[in-house]
Amino acid sequence: MKFGIFYELQLPRPWHDGDELRLYHDALTQLETADRLGYHYAWVVEHHFLEEYSHSPAPESFLAAASQRTQNIRLGHGILQLTTNHPARVAERVAVLDILSRGRCEFGMGESASITELTPFGRDMETKREVFEEAVRAIFPMFTKIGTEHHGKYFDVPLRNVVPKPVQKPHPPLWMACSQLPTIERAGRNGFGALGFQFVSADAAHAWVHAYYNAITKRLEKLADYEINPNMALVSFFMCAKTDEEARARADGATFFQFALRYYGASQNRQRPAPGTVNMWDEYNKWKRDNPEAQEQALRGGLIGSPETIRRKLRRFRASHIDQVILLNQAGKNSHEHICESLELFAREVLPEFEHDAEHDAWKAGVMSGALKLEEIDTTAFSDRYGKLAISVAPAAKTAAG
């Protein structure tokens, strides 16, 4: 099992001068710490205009900076939005990051899930999947060919040579953002690694892994000429401390991530309110005061606790054959000091048990070769976009509508 760390670069209100400067440089220090400790991946999102929830519109700049402060950790676009970027610019940015990191770039792709992001770039919810798939077909020849052109419905690129080319041949490993079960299956069909930006139980993880690997082995339909990347990753809340109680206290802001998703998800096309009209951190704290039991239940559900508690939970995920667990530590107002201490303690007392797993390697080789046939599991019970925990942290309907 591999372990990644995940960044939305959240910045809840109130804001003060220097907060964004501190946010970015603290995150870079955390990545440097994770690299030193042996974590395998760092994933950084691309989002636009999403106040408080994500202040990360230029992951290529952040990851380029990280590439100069780290040596081994894989640097992942988790994800680049193919709907709001020109295909040639995507290919250029991926190649440059691969060069700067000496071949450590991971190329995650996505569509965006909100008209708040899409509309300013001339895109909409109805056609975003078409745009995504056309962008995929346009991008991949740019990595390998001396001169390519593309003439489609959404992009028209005359004959040009996109330079530079990536270090990894024919391209960095490919991933797709997946927040729902159908997109997990779609990632498998297309041959992409699945970045499951979702919070699920071990039982759900088992079902999702089966759905993904059955799709990639039985129903593969590549969108272009690229190398497939059979990998399934899931995100989990994360905070490791000496005791469960201390970890839950330090991770008090963890559920802000889900709360914001659910809050905005209640509006049509996940439209955000006008700038500055909603203080999401205040809304979140109102919910916590009114729902203390639900907050406590949500914190118990993630990888939040003592090393022994987290080990016990990870053993269940290992049995589900997850390839990578992505640890969400920078959420809400979790402190920089606690994030670094959590990374240190987990790496020292938990990570060594899980990073070398010959049984999983053998299982995966059997599945991909066809020697091991996976059952087709009924996944109906595991299809909620926000996961079981997020149902508990949903704001009241009247609040979401406001």
mmCIF file of all heavy atoms in Angstrom, residues 307-348:
data_model
loop_
_atom_site.group_PDB
_atom_site.id
_atom_site.type_symbol
_atom_site.label_atom_id
_atom_site.label_comp_id
_atom_site.label_asym_id
_atom_site.label_seq_id
_atom_site.Cartn_x
_atom_site.Cartn_y
_atom_site.Cartn_z
ATOM 1 N N PRO A 307 -1.529 5.735 16.813
ATOM 2 C CA PRO A 307 -0.958 4.807 15.832
ATOM 3 C C PRO A 307 -1.659 3.448 15.832
ATOM 4 O O PRO A 307 -1.920 2.885 14.765
ATOM 5 C CB PRO A 307 0.506 4.694 16.278
ATOM 6 C CG PRO A 307 0.805 6.025 16.901
ATOM 7 C CD PRO A 307 -0.460 6.395 17.618
ATOM 8 N N GLU A 308 -2.002 2.910 16.992
ATOM 9 C CA GLU A 308 -2.649 1.598 17.043
ATOM 10 C C GLU A 308 -4.048 1.647 16.433
ATOM 11 O O GLU A 308 -4.446 0.744 15.692
ATOM 12 C CB GLU A 308 -2.734 1.094 18.497
ATOM 13 C CG GLU A 308 -3.395 -0.276 18.631
ATOM 14 C CD GLU A 308 -2.776 -1.321 17.706
ATOM 15 O OE1 GLU A 308 -1.543 -1.358 17.572
ATOM 16 O OE2 GLU A 308 -3.550 -2.098 17.098
ATOM 17 N N THR A 309 -4.797 2.694 16.696
ATOM 18 C CA THR A 309 -6.130 2.832 16.098
ATOM 19 C C THR A 309 -6.038 2.918 14.585
ATOM 20 O O THR A 309 -6.803 2.271 13.860
ATOM 21 C CB THR A 309 -6.828 4.085 16.662
ATOM 22 O OG1 THR A 309 -7.082 3.894 18.051
ATOM 23 C CG2 THR A 309 -8.141 4.350 15.945
ATOM 24 N N ILE A 310 -5.100 3.714 14.095
ATOM 25 C CA ILE A 310 -4.961 3.864 12.644
ATOM 26 C C ILE A 310 -4.475 2.563 12.012
ATOM 27 O O ILE A 310 -4.944 2.172 10.925
ATOM 28 C CB ILE A 310 -4.017 5.042 12.319
ATOM 29 C CG1 ILE A 310 -4.683 6.362 12.744
ATOM 30 C CG2 ILE A 310 -3.678 5.068 10.833
ATOM 31 C CD1 ILE A 310 -3.816 7.584 12.541
ATOM 32 N N ARG A 311 -3.569 1.860 12.674
ATOM 33 C CA ARG A 311 -3.129 0.559 12.145
ATOM 34 C C ARG A 311 -4.308 -0.396 11.991
ATOM 35 O O ARG A 311 -4.425 -1.098 10.975
ATOM 36 C CB ARG A 311 -2.075 -0.054 13.080
ATOM 37 C CG ARG A 311 -0.658 0.404 12.837
ATOM 38 C CD ARG A 311 0.354 -0.510 13.525
ATOM 39 N NE ARG A 311 0.204 -0.459 14.978
ATOM 40 C CZ ARG A 311 0.876 0.368 15.768
ATOM 41 N NH1 ARG A 311 1.716 1.246 15.249
ATOM 42 N NH2 ARG A 311 0.708 0.334 17.070
ATOM 43 N N ARG A 312 -5.164 -0.430 12.993
ATOM 44 C CA ARG A 312 -6.316 -1.329 12.951
ATOM 45 C C ARG A 312 -7.234 -0.989 11.765
ATOM 46 O O ARG A 312 -7.714 -1.880 11.066
ATOM 47 C CB ARG A 312 -7.090 -1.231 14.267
ATOM 48 C CG ARG A 312 -8.243 -2.232 14.376
ATOM 49 C CD ARG A 312 -8.868 -2.192 15.752
ATOM 50 N NE ARG A 312 -9.522 -0.910 16.031
ATOM 51 C CZ ARG A 312 -9.076 -0.001 16.892
ATOM 52 N NH1 ARG A 312 -7.958 -0.221 17.561
ATOM 53 N NH2 ARG A 312 -9.737 1.122 17.085
ATOM 54 N N LYS A 313 -7.456 0.291 11.538
ATOM 55 C CA LYS A 313 -8.314 0.703 10.422
ATOM 56 C C LYS A 313 -7.660 0.405 9.080
ATOM 57 O O LYS A 313 -8.317 -0.036 8.131
ATOM 58 C CB LYS A 313 -8.653 2.185 10.542
ATOM 59 C CG LYS A 313 -9.529 2.511 11.742
ATOM 60 C CD LYS A 313 -9.849 3.994 11.792
ATOM 61 C CE LYS A 313 -10.785 4.305 12.963
ATOM 62 N NZ LYS A 313 -11.175 5.728 13.000
ATOM 63 N N LEU A 314 -6.357 0.631 8.981
ATOM 64 C CA LEU A 314 -5.657 0.390 7.727
ATOM 65 C C LEU A 314 -5.619 -1.084 7.351
ATOM 66 O O LEU A 314 -5.599 -1.429 6.167
ATOM 67 C CB LEU A 314 -4.238 0.945 7.789
ATOM 68 C CG LEU A 314 -4.081 2.447 7.568
ATOM 69 C CD1 LEU A 314 -2.642 2.872 7.798
ATOM 70 C CD2 LEU A 314 -4.536 2.845 6.156
ATOM 71 N N ARG A 315 -5.616 -1.949 8.327
ATOM 72 C CA ARG A 315 -5.630 -3.381 8.022
ATOM 73 C C ARG A 315 -6.896 -3.767 7.274
ATOM 74 O O ARG A 315 -6.874 -4.633 6.400
ATOM 75 C CB ARG A 315 -5.486 -4.190 9.313
ATOM 76 C CG ARG A 315 -4.068 -4.158 9.887
ATOM 77 C CD ARG A 315 -4.001 -4.717 11.296
ATOM 78 N NE ARG A 315 -2.690 -4.447 11.897
ATOM 79 C CZ ARG A 315 -2.498 -4.217 13.199
ATOM 80 N NH1 ARG A 315 -3.525 -4.230 14.045
ATOM 81 N NH2 ARG A 315 -1.282 -3.975 13.651
ATOM 82 N N ARG A 316 -8.005 -3.117 7.597
ATOM 83 C CA ARG A 316 -9.254 -3.385 6.868
ATOM 84 C C ARG A 316 -9.171 -2.856 5.437
ATOM 85 O O ARG A 316 -9.629 -3.504 4.503
ATOM 86 C CB ARG A 316 -10.440 -2.766 7.594
ATOM 87 C CG ARG A 316 -10.736 -3.397 8.952
ATOM 88 C CD ARG A 316 -12.097 -2.981 9.447
ATOM 89 N NE ARG A 316 -13.150 -3.487 8.565
ATOM 90 C CZ ARG A 316 -14.369 -2.961 8.494
ATOM 91 N NH1 ARG A 316 -14.684 -1.892 9.214
ATOM 92 N NH2 ARG A 316 -15.270 -3.480 7.678
ATOM 93 N N PHE A 317 -8.572 -1.677 5.260
ATOM 94 C CA PHE A 317 -8.416 -1.153 3.901
ATOM 95 C C PHE A 317 -7.455 -2.017 3.089
ATOM 96 O O PHE A 317 -7.646 -2.222 1.896
ATOM 97 C CB PHE A 317 -7.931 0.301 3.937
ATOM 98 C CG PHE A 317 -9.030 1.300 4.156
ATOM 99 C CD1 PHE A 317 -9.229 1.881 5.402
ATOM 100 C CD2 PHE A 317 -9.873 1.660 3.129
ATOM 101 C CE1 PHE A 317 -10.249 2.797 5.615
ATOM 102 C CE2 PHE A 317 -10.891 2.574 3.315
ATOM 103 C CZ PHE A 317 -11.085 3.143 4.571
ATOM 104 N N ARG A 318 -6.407 -2.523 3.738
ATOM 105 C CA ARG A 318 -5.475 -3.406 3.034
ATOM 106 C C ARG A 318 -6.191 -4.654 2.535
ATOM 107 O O ARG A 318 -5.934 -5.122 1.422
ATOM 108 C CB ARG A 318 -4.314 -3.786 3.949
ATOM 109 C CG ARG A 318 -3.296 -4.717 3.292
ATOM 110 C CD ARG A 318 -2.030 -4.857 4.130
ATOM 111 N NE ARG A 318 -2.309 -5.378 5.454
ATOM 112 C CZ ARG A 318 -1.392 -5.463 6.430
ATOM 113 N NH1 ARG A 318 -0.161 -5.035 6.220
ATOM 114 N NH2 ARG A 318 -1.710 -5.949 7.608
ATOM 115 N N ALA A 319 -7.118 -5.171 3.334
ATOM 116 C CA ALA A 319 -7.874 -6.349 2.928
ATOM 117 C C ALA A 319 -8.779 -6.067 1.729
ATOM 118 O O ALA A 319 -9.160 -6.986 0.996
ATOM 119 C CB ALA A 319 -8.711 -6.864 4.103
ATOM 120 N N SER A 320 -9.099 -4.787 1.506
ATOM 121 C CA SER A 320 -9.916 -4.401 0.344
ATOM 122 C C SER A 320 -9.080 -4.213 -0.916
ATOM 123 O O SER A 320 -9.629 -3.978 -1.990
ATOM 124 C CB SER A 320 -10.668 -3.096 0.649
ATOM 125 O OG SER A 320 -11.513 -3.254 1.764
ATOM 126 N N HIS A 321 -7.755 -4.276 -0.775
ATOM 127 C CA HIS A 321 -6.809 -4.150 -1.891
ATOM 128 C C HIS A 321 -6.788 -2.753 -2.510
ATOM 129 O O HIS A 321 -6.667 -2.601 -3.723
ATOM 130 C CB HIS A 321 -7.073 -5.216 -2.956
ATOM 131 C CG HIS A 321 -6.731 -6.597 -2.487
ATOM 132 N ND1 HIS A 321 -5.447 -6.999 -2.222
ATOM 133 C CD2 HIS A 321 -7.527 -7.665 -2.198
ATOM 134 C CE1 HIS A 321 -5.456 -8.257 -1.805
ATOM 135 N NE2 HIS A 321 -6.697 -8.683 -1.762
ATOM 136 N N ILE A 322 -6.879 -1.738 -1.640
ATOM 137 C CA ILE A 322 -6.624 -0.369 -2.082
ATOM 138 C C ILE A 322 -5.135 -0.241 -2.414
ATOM 139 O O ILE A 322 -4.280 -0.713 -1.675
ATOM 140 C CB ILE A 322 -7.014 0.629 -0.979
ATOM 141 C CG1 ILE A 322 -8.523 0.608 -0.734
ATOM 142 C CG2 ILE A 322 -6.544 2.033 -1.310
ATOM 143 C CD1 ILE A 322 -9.333 1.064 -1.913
ATOM 144 N N ASP A 323 -4.814 0.402 -3.545
ATOM 145 C CA ASP A 323 -3.411 0.593 -3.914
ATOM 146 C C ASP A 323 -2.767 1.739 -3.154
ATOM 147 O O ASP A 323 -1.577 1.692 -2.837
ATOM 148 C CB ASP A 323 -3.294 0.879 -5.416
ATOM 149 C CG ASP A 323 -3.713 -0.311 -6.258
ATOM 150 O OD1 ASP A 323 -3.054 -1.361 -6.171
ATOM 151 O OD2 ASP A 323 -4.714 -0.193 -6.997
ATOM 152 N N GLN A 324 -3.539 2.792 -2.901
ATOM 153 C CA GLN A 324 -2.987 3.977 -2.242
ATOM 154 C C GLN A 324 -4.034 4.618 -1.343
ATOM 155 O O GLN A 324 -5.198 4.742 -1.735
ATOM 156 C CB GLN A 324 -2.517 5.006 -3.285
ATOM 157 C CG GLN A 324 -1.901 6.257 -2.683
ATOM 158 C CD GLN A 324 -1.521 7.308 -3.719
ATOM 159 O OE1 GLN A 324 -1.372 8.492 -3.392
ATOM 160 N NE2 GLN A 324 -1.359 6.898 -4.956
ATOM 161 N N VAL A 325 -3.624 5.001 -0.161
ATOM 162 C CA VAL A 325 -4.457 5.809 0.727
ATOM 163 C C VAL A 325 -3.894 7.227 0.722
ATOM 164 O O VAL A 325 -2.706 7.439 0.977
ATOM 165 C CB VAL A 325 -4.473 5.250 2.153
ATOM 166 C CG1 VAL A 325 -5.244 6.186 3.089
ATOM 167 C CG2 VAL A 325 -5.101 3.857 2.178
ATOM 168 N N ILE A 326 -4.762 8.183 0.397
ATOM 169 C CA ILE A 326 -4.357 9.586 0.346
ATOM 170 C C ILE A 326 -4.843 10.261 1.622
ATOM 171 O O ILE A 326 -6.037 10.277 1.916
ATOM 172 C CB ILE A 326 -4.948 10.283 -0.894
ATOM 173 C CG1 ILE A 326 -4.519 9.558 -2.180
ATOM 174 C CG2 ILE A 326 -4.509 11.738 -0.945
ATOM 175 C CD1 ILE A 326 -5.171 10.098 -3.434
ATOM 176 N N LEU A 327 -3.921 10.802 2.377
ATOM 177 C CA LEU A 327 -4.198 11.324 3.709
ATOM 178 C C LEU A 327 -4.497 12.814 3.642
ATOM 179 O O LEU A 327 -3.662 13.608 3.209
ATOM 180 C CB LEU A 327 -2.991 11.065 4.621
ATOM 181 C CG LEU A 327 -2.547 9.591 4.692
ATOM 182 C CD1 LEU A 327 -1.190 9.487 5.385
ATOM 183 C CD2 LEU A 327 -3.602 8.746 5.404
ATOM 184 N N LEU A 328 -5.700 13.180 4.068
ATOM 185 C CA LEU A 328 -6.118 14.582 4.075
ATOM 186 C C LEU A 328 -5.853 15.168 5.459
ATOM 187 O O LEU A 328 -6.588 14.919 6.408
ATOM 188 C CB LEU A 328 -7.608 14.703 3.726
ATOM 189 C CG LEU A 328 -8.198 16.112 3.797
ATOM 190 C CD1 LEU A 328 -7.512 17.036 2.794
ATOM 191 C CD2 LEU A 328 -9.695 16.085 3.567
ATOM 192 N N ASN A 329 -4.776 15.917 5.558
ATOM 193 C CA ASN A 329 -4.324 16.477 6.830
ATOM 194 C C ASN A 329 -4.549 17.980 6.883
ATOM 195 O O ASN A 329 -4.868 18.535 7.927
ATOM 196 C CB ASN A 329 -2.836 16.167 7.019
ATOM 197 C CG ASN A 329 -2.471 15.891 8.467
ATOM 198 O OD1 ASN A 329 -3.326 15.828 9.333
ATOM 199 N ND2 ASN A 329 -1.181 15.718 8.722
ATOM 200 N N GLN A 330 -4.368 18.654 5.746
ATOM 201 C CA GLN A 330 -4.518 20.107 5.689
ATOM 202 C C GLN A 330 -5.988 20.413 5.363
ATOM 203 O O GLN A 330 -6.386 20.508 4.215
ATOM 204 C CB GLN A 330 -3.590 20.712 4.631
ATOM 205 C CG GLN A 330 -3.435 22.237 4.717
ATOM 206 C CD GLN A 330 -4.510 23.006 3.984
ATOM 207 O OE1 GLN A 330 -4.891 22.680 2.866
ATOM 208 N NE2 GLN A 330 -5.012 24.060 4.617
ATOM 209 N N ALA A 331 -6.796 20.510 6.419
ATOM 210 C CA ALA A 331 -8.231 20.752 6.248
ATOM 211 C C ALA A 331 -8.707 21.689 7.332
ATOM 212 O O ALA A 331 -8.220 21.647 8.469
ATOM 213 C CB ALA A 331 -9.009 19.436 6.308
ATOM 214 N N GLY A 332 -9.664 22.527 6.980
ATOM 215 C CA GLY A 332 -10.148 23.480 7.959
ATOM 216 C C GLY A 332 -9.009 24.318 8.504
ATOM 217 O O GLY A 332 -8.214 24.876 7.760
ATOM 218 N N LYS A 333 -8.926 24.369 9.838
ATOM 219 C CA LYS A 333 -7.847 25.135 10.475
ATOM 220 C C LYS A 333 -6.891 24.237 11.240
ATOM 221 O O LYS A 333 -6.285 24.661 12.243
ATOM 222 C CB LYS A 333 -8.436 26.209 11.391
ATOM 223 C CG LYS A 333 -9.187 27.296 10.622
ATOM 224 C CD LYS A 333 -9.515 28.482 11.502
ATOM 225 C CE LYS A 333 -10.205 29.580 10.684
ATOM 226 N NZ LYS A 333 -10.487 30.798 11.483
ATOM 227 N N ASN A 334 -6.721 23.001 10.783
ATOM 228 C CA ASN A 334 -5.711 22.137 11.385
ATOM 229 C C ASN A 334 -4.364 22.855 11.337
ATOM 230 O O ASN A 334 -3.977 23.400 10.304
ATOM 231 C CB ASN A 334 -5.619 20.812 10.640
ATOM 232 C CG ASN A 334 -6.870 19.961 10.799
ATOM 233 O OD1 ASN A 334 -7.768 20.302 11.574
ATOM 234 N ND2 ASN A 334 -6.929 18.862 10.071
ATOM 235 N N SER A 335 -3.631 22.844 12.439
ATOM 236 C CA SER A 335 -2.426 23.668 12.528
ATOM 237 C C SER A 335 -1.240 23.015 11.832
ATOM 238 O O SER A 335 -1.129 21.793 11.749
ATOM 239 C CB SER A 335 -2.076 23.936 13.995
ATOM 240 O OG SER A 335 -1.464 22.802 14.578
ATOM 241 N N HIS A 336 -0.353 23.858 11.355
ATOM 242 C CA HIS A 336 0.881 23.399 10.707
ATOM 243 C C HIS A 336 1.692 22.508 11.651
ATOM 244 O O HIS A 336 2.198 21.454 11.254
ATOM 245 C CB HIS A 336 1.704 24.617 10.283
ATOM 246 C CG HIS A 336 3.071 24.298 9.770
ATOM 247 N ND1 HIS A 336 3.295 23.539 8.635
ATOM 248 C CD2 HIS A 336 4.302 24.640 10.256
ATOM 249 C CE1 HIS A 336 4.601 23.428 8.431
ATOM 250 N NE2 HIS A 336 5.230 24.080 9.397
ATOM 251 N N GLU A 337 1.792 22.906 12.904
ATOM 252 C CA GLU A 337 2.555 22.129 13.883
ATOM 253 C C GLU A 337 1.965 20.732 14.046
ATOM 254 O O GLU A 337 2.695 19.727 14.039
ATOM 255 C CB GLU A 337 2.560 22.849 15.233
ATOM 256 C CG GLU A 337 3.300 22.100 16.337
ATOM 257 C CD GLU A 337 3.170 22.794 17.686
ATOM 258 O OE1 GLU A 337 2.396 23.765 17.801
ATOM 259 O OE2 GLU A 337 3.844 22.330 18.630
ATOM 260 N N HIS A 338 0.656 20.641 14.163
ATOM 261 C CA HIS A 338 0.016 19.340 14.354
ATOM 262 C C HIS A 338 0.102 18.479 13.098
ATOM 263 O O HIS A 338 0.245 17.257 13.189
ATOM 264 C CB HIS A 338 -1.442 19.532 14.770
ATOM 265 C CG HIS A 338 -1.605 20.115 16.134
ATOM 266 N ND1 HIS A 338 -2.791 20.682 16.567
ATOM 267 C CD2 HIS A 338 -0.721 20.234 17.172
ATOM 268 C CE1 HIS A 338 -2.633 21.100 17.819
ATOM 269 N NE2 HIS A 338 -1.388 20.844 18.196
ATOM 270 N N ILE A 339 0.009 19.097 11.932
ATOM 271 C CA ILE A 339 0.139 18.350 10.671
ATOM 272 C C ILE A 339 1.521 17.707 10.589
ATOM 273 O O ILE A 339 1.654 16.522 10.273
ATOM 274 C CB ILE A 339 -0.122 19.282 9.472
ATOM 275 C CG1 ILE A 339 -1.604 19.674 9.410
ATOM 276 C CG2 ILE A 339 0.307 18.610 8.158
ATOM 277 C CD1 ILE A 339 -1.907 20.774 8.419
ATOM 278 N N CYS A 340 2.560 18.479 10.883
ATOM 279 C CA CYS A 340 3.925 17.933 10.807
ATOM 280 C C CYS A 340 4.151 16.844 11.853
ATOM 281 O O CYS A 340 4.759 15.800 11.563
ATOM 282 C CB CYS A 340 4.946 19.057 10.972
ATOM 283 S SG CYS A 340 5.012 20.205 9.570
ATOM 284 N N GLU A 341 3.659 17.055 13.065
ATOM 285 C CA GLU A 341 3.806 16.035 14.099
ATOM 286 C C GLU A 341 3.061 14.763 13.724
ATOM 287 O O GLU A 341 3.533 13.648 13.985
ATOM 288 C CB GLU A 341 3.298 16.576 15.436
ATOM 289 C CG GLU A 341 4.201 17.645 16.036
ATOM 290 C CD GLU A 341 3.653 18.187 17.350
ATOM 291 O OE1 GLU A 341 2.594 17.682 17.807
ATOM 292 O OE2 GLU A 341 4.282 19.102 17.918
ATOM 293 N N SER A 342 1.900 14.915 13.100
ATOM 294 C CA SER A 342 1.120 13.761 12.655
ATOM 295 C C SER A 342 1.861 12.965 11.588
ATOM 296 O O SER A 342 1.929 11.730 11.633
ATOM 297 C CB SER A 342 -0.232 14.244 12.115
ATOM 298 O OG SER A 342 -1.006 13.182 11.620
ATOM 299 N N LEU A 343 2.437 13.672 10.626
ATOM 300 C CA LEU A 343 3.218 13.001 9.579
ATOM 301 C C LEU A 343 4.399 12.251 10.176
ATOM 302 O O LEU A 343 4.701 11.112 9.762
ATOM 303 C CB LEU A 343 3.704 14.031 8.552
ATOM 304 C CG LEU A 343 2.641 14.698 7.671
ATOM 305 C CD1 LEU A 343 3.261 15.839 6.871
ATOM 306 C CD2 LEU A 343 1.998 13.688 6.728
ATOM 307 N N GLU A 344 5.078 12.848 11.136
ATOM 308 C CA GLU A 344 6.239 12.220 11.781
ATOM 309 C C GLU A 344 5.827 10.943 12.518
ATOM 310 O O GLU A 344 6.465 9.888 12.370
ATOM 311 C CB GLU A 344 6.889 13.204 12.763
ATOM 312 C CG GLU A 344 7.522 14.430 12.129
ATOM 313 C CD GLU A 344 9.008 14.258 11.851
ATOM 314 O OE1 GLU A 344 9.527 13.137 12.038
ATOM 315 O OE2 GLU A 344 9.636 15.259 11.437
ATOM 316 N N LEU A 345 4.783 11.014 13.333
ATOM 317 C CA LEU A 345 4.372 9.873 14.148
ATOM 318 C C LEU A 345 3.874 8.724 13.279
ATOM 319 O O LEU A 345 4.227 7.554 13.518
ATOM 320 C CB LEU A 345 3.283 10.317 15.130
ATOM 321 C CG LEU A 345 2.808 9.275 16.146
ATOM 322 C CD1 LEU A 345 3.970 8.794 17.021
ATOM 323 C CD2 LEU A 345 1.686 9.863 17.015
ATOM 324 N N PHE A 346 3.074 9.029 12.277
ATOM 325 C CA PHE A 346 2.566 7.988 11.376
ATOM 326 C C PHE A 346 3.710 7.296 10.642
ATOM 327 O O PHE A 346 3.745 6.066 10.524
ATOM 328 C CB PHE A 346 1.598 8.613 10.369
ATOM 329 C CG PHE A 346 1.020 7.638 9.385
ATOM 330 C CD1 PHE A 346 -0.158 6.961 9.652
ATOM 331 C CD2 PHE A 346 1.644 7.401 8.156
ATOM 332 C CE1 PHE A 346 -0.700 6.064 8.739
ATOM 333 C CE2 PHE A 346 1.120 6.512 7.245
ATOM 334 C CZ PHE A 346 -0.054 5.840 7.534
ATOM 335 N N ALA A 347 4.661 8.082 10.151
ATOM 336 C CA ALA A 347 5.779 7.506 9.400
ATOM 337 C C ALA A 347 6.635 6.609 10.277
ATOM 338 O O ALA A 347 7.156 5.579 9.825
ATOM 339 C CB ALA A 347 6.631 8.618 8.798
ATOM 340 N N ARG A 348 6.770 6.970 11.525
ATOM 341 C CA ARG A 348 7.615 6.206 12.435
ATOM 342 C C ARG A 348 6.934 4.926 12.928
ATOM 343 O O ARG A 348 7.563 3.859 12.993
ATOM 344 C CB ARG A 348 8.009 7.086 13.622
ATOM 345 C CG ARG A 348 8.990 6.422 14.586
ATOM 346 C CD ARG A 348 9.498 7.400 15.623
ATOM 347 N NE ARG A 348 8.467 7.892 16.520
ATOM 348 C CZ ARG A 348 8.011 9.147 16.541
ATOM 349 N NH1 ARG A 348 8.514 10.047 15.693
ATOM 350 N NH2 ARG A 348 7.078 9.518 17.398
#
